[in-house]
Structures are given as structure tokens and as C-alpha cells.
Amino acid sequence: MRLPLYALSAAAFGIGTTEFVIMGLLPDVAADLHVTIPQAGLLVSGYAIGVTIGAPIVAIATARLKRHVALLSLMGIFILGNLLCAIAPSYWPLMVARIITAFCHGAFFGVGAVVAADLSPPGRKAQAIAMMFAGLTLANVLGVPFGTALGQAFGWRSTFWAVVAIGIVAALALIAWLPRTLGRAEGNMLTEFGVLRRPQVILAMLISVLASASLFSVFTYIAPILTDVTGVSAHGVTGVLLLFGVGLTAGNFAGAKFADWKLMPAMLAILAAIIVLQLVFNLTAVAFIPALITIVLWGVAAFALVSPLQLRVVAEARGAPNLASSLNQGAFNLGNAIGAWAGGVAITAGVSYGSLPWLGAGLALAAFLTTLLAMLLEQRAGATVPCE
């Protein structure tokens, strides 16, 4: 059943490209639309808020659809949103277009993760989810660097036109390869919100928020960090982003293997690594080679968390997997919004670009402590989290 996973991965590639490519184009967008870089950074927050708000709304709206129909409908929203981004005449229309695009994000990854897990045998569910999220990591290896280069060469709007084309190709792959036998969510979607009364579900989503905020408080401003602190040229940023994406891809699959082995200890180890790497980045950001090594290792650790966290939420939300999986995507993106906003506030308050990793390390520490609390509560209750 690899072809359906490849189709999901292709769609994830398009979604990941449109989500992350804006970071490499922040200076270009800010200059063209006559806004500051922190204001342009709010386009990241706007997208993330769109995912957060849209995830439960769209999950409910598509709940009674067969899953392949729901996924195709969501890709339609994605294509429309990027088309509106490409033709946006000014800052606020672009912000609205980004939010429209974001509405498909949470529900797509939420439903897609459930489909990927359902198509996989026991003991390989996290790896199947990782296969879908591989598209997201490949977006950082290929989509973001080349999208950044395209935007720098031909204007940032050209990047969004390219993403529209990617969306069309991904939709065709979904039509060709997704099984028509995929069912629909069982039960009443509204009553499934009762899953949010489970402490472990809330803790898992809080970890997602904090871990994502840690990443985006720094990564949103990676282009000015590299140019102003490290001394990388604007075109050199593309190469660094490509290598960062390689790290994300490696971390995605490594994290999935650890999650299928021992979930909570793996999460604690990964978060500890992120804290250390953020602290190290404060020192290495001033020199190219040390900064590059740190960024790649940071990418490995950052995305190693994605599949374990998604699996944790689905496992704890038994009886409401579609909704919980979608809501966790909202949690990730709420963290994106908080991180981008917090980084912008810090810069506006006078914090240098090179000091932003201190903020990222603090947020990662909060995620580590929340994970430790969840693990201790689970052990006290004598619970064993199922991974199947």
C-alpha cells in the first residue's frame, strides 16, 4: 500500500512548501509590500492561526465525507489559497490568502495521518505516518530552497504560482492512488470533543504547542540571522535551508523508529537534544561552518518529534482519532504562531537576531518538563499507552 502513502506525501510536499517558503522570502516580501520584517513574519503567524482555527472547523465539516473525498476537497482549498497568494496586491490580501490556504492544513494532515496508520501493519504505524510527513520534510529539502531561489530570481509571487502547480500534481496523485474503499469517521464528531477532557490528550497537545513554538521562534527569522549574524549572502541562505531540510528528513524517519520502540523516553531525549542545540546555536551563529552544523543537527532533532507526538495524540484519543489528529495539527501551528510572534516581539524589544536561540531553548525546556509530567502521571496511574 505504498502508493497511497506516496500520494499523501506528495500533497504534504505542497503544503509544507507553502507553509515554510515564506521564511526564506521574508526580506523580499517585506521590501515589496513596504512592511518591516517582523510584520512580514506575522504572515507565518497568520498561516499558523488559520491552521489552528481551521483544524476543528474543517474536521467537523468533512466528518461525514469518505476520507478520499475529504482529502481531495482539502487539496482544492489549498490550490485556491495559493492562487490568491500569487495575485495578492498588498499585505492584508496576502494575509487573508495565507489564512484561507491554512484552513486545509490541519484537517489534511489529521485525516491523512489516520489513513496512513490504518493502511499499515501493527508495529509500523509511526513509520507510516512518517512516510506521509516525509513530504513535509522534503518540502524543506527541495521546495523551500528552490522556492526561495525562484522568488529571489523572479519575484516572490512566482513561488506561489509554482506551489499552485505542485498542488495540482498532488491532487492528481490522490485521485490516482488513494483507495476508494476508505471509510468515513464513525460516531458524532461534535461529541468527540469530549476527548479534550482527557489530561494526557491535553498534555500531548501542549507539548506540540511548546515544541513548535521553540522551533518557529528562531526558524521564522533564519534568513536575517544568516545574513546579519552569520554573514551568509542572500543566495547562500538557499543552500543552508536545503541542508536544514536534509536534517528534517533524517529526523522524521529516525523519530518514527524511536516512537515505534519507546515513545515517551524518545520524546524526552529528543527535547533534551533540542535544548542543547539551541544553546549551542547562540555561540555558533557567528561563524558559517559551526552555524551550518548546528542548524542541520537542529533540523534532525526538531522533526524527530513530529511522528511521535502525532502518534501519542492518536493513541491517547481512542474513539476520536480524526478529530484529535486534526486538533494536534492545530496545536503544532498554534505553536508556530506563538513562536513567530514571540520572536518578533523580542526583536522589536531590542533582542538581537543572534540571541533568539535563547528564547527557543526556553520554550523547548517547557516542552521537556511537560513531557516529563505526562510520563510521571502515566506511570503513577499504571497506564500503558498503546501504539497500535
Side-chain angles (χ1 to χ4, degrees):
M1 300 299 291
R2 285 186 176 273
L3 288 180
L5 296 179
Y6 291 153
L8 292 170
S9 185
F13 177 83
I15 294 172
T17 298
T18 202
E19 179 181 15
F20 295 123
V21 76
I22 194 73
M23 289 129 186
L25 296 172
L26 273 190
D28 303 87
V29 173
D32 184 52
L33 300 182
H34 308 293
V35 296
T36 66
I37 285 180
Q39 285 175 317
L42 291 177
L43 292 167
V44 177
S45 296
Y47 184 96
I49 290 170
V51 177
T52 304
I53 296 172
I57 294 173
V58 178
I60 292 170
T62 59
R64 308 318 302 167
L65 297 176
K66 288 191 174 182
R67 286 175 175 146
H68 78 278
V69 175
L71 291 170
L72 284 170
S73 300
L74 294 168
M75 282 308 297
I77 297 173
F78 169 82
I79 293 168
L80 172 63
N82 280 286
L83 176 62
L84 294 175
C85 287
I87 64 175
S90 60
Y91 177 78
W92 284 109
L94 177 59
M95 178 69 80
V96 172
R98 290 279 291 171
I99 293 171
I100 290 172
T101 307
F103 261 58
C104 77
H105 183 124
F108 187 92
F109 280 110
V111 175
V114 173
V115 169
D118 285 349
L119 291 173
S120 304
R124 295 185 62 86
K125 293 186 181 298
Q127 293 176 61
I129 294 172
M131 176 68 76
M132 181 188 71
F133 279 102
L136 197 60
T137 60
L138 285 173
N140 286 277
V141 176
L142 300 174
V144 172
F146 288 105
T148 299
L150 181 67
Q152 290 171 345
F154 300 104
W156 61 268
R157 297 176 193 278
S158 64
T159 300
F160 286 101
W161 283 112
V163 173
V164 169
I166 293 170
I168 293 171
V169 171
L172 293 174
L174 291 170
I175 291 170
W177 293 336
L178 273 186
R180 299 297 185 270
T181 54
L182 293 173
R184 53 173 63 87
E186 300 297 332
N188 188 314
M189 197 64 151
L190 290 175
T191 62
E192 288 187 6
F193 274 95
V195 75
L196 296 179
R197 292 195 296 266
R198 301 177 191 173
Q200 288 289 2
V201 173
I202 295 299
L203 286 173
M205 291 186 182
L206 179 58
I207 297 164
S208 296
V209 171
L210 292 169
S212 186
S214 170
L215 171 62
F216 277 81
S217 64
V218 182
F219 186 58
T220 300
Y221 303 98
I222 194 66
I225 289 172
L226 290 170
T227 54
D228 294 2
V229 180
T230 313
V232 177
S233 68
H235 292 293
V237 171
T238 299
V240 175
L241 291 177
L242 189 151
L243 291 174
F244 180 79
V246 171
L248 295 182
T249 303
N252 178 51
F253 288 107
K257 288 185 179 295
F258 283 124
D260 280 330
W261 174 54
K262 289 186 177 180
L263 184 57
M264 296 301 281
M267 287 169 55
L268 285 172
I270 293 165
L271 284 165
I274 290 172
I275 295 168
V276 171
L277 287 164
Q278 291 272 29
L279 293 174
V280 169
F281 194 30
N282 283 287
L283 304 174
T284 60
V286 296
F288 177 66
I289 297 299
L292 181 62
I293 294 171
T294 307
I295 287 170
V296 172
L297 292 176
W298 175 38
V300 173
F303 240 76
L305 272 175
V306 173
S307 296
L309 279 170
Q310 195 74 10
L311 183 62
R312 173 74 177 180
V313 168
V314 171
E316 290 295 336
R318 292 175 299 279
N322 276 16
L323 177 63
S325 188
S326 297
L327 287 175
N328 195 50
Q329 289 301 307
F332 276 124
N333 282 271
L334 177 60
N336 295 359
I338 292 171
W341 169 80
V345 168
I347 293 166
T348 303
V351 174
S352 67
Y353 287 122
S355 296
L356 282 179
W358 283 106
L359 176 60
L363 290 166
L365 176 60
F368 179 91
L369 294 175
T370 305
T371 305
L372 186 61
L373 173 63
M375 189 173 178
L376 292 174
L377 290 175
E378 183 177 88
Q379 290 174 347
R380 180 175 296 180
T384 301
V385 178
C387 293
E388 309 303 338

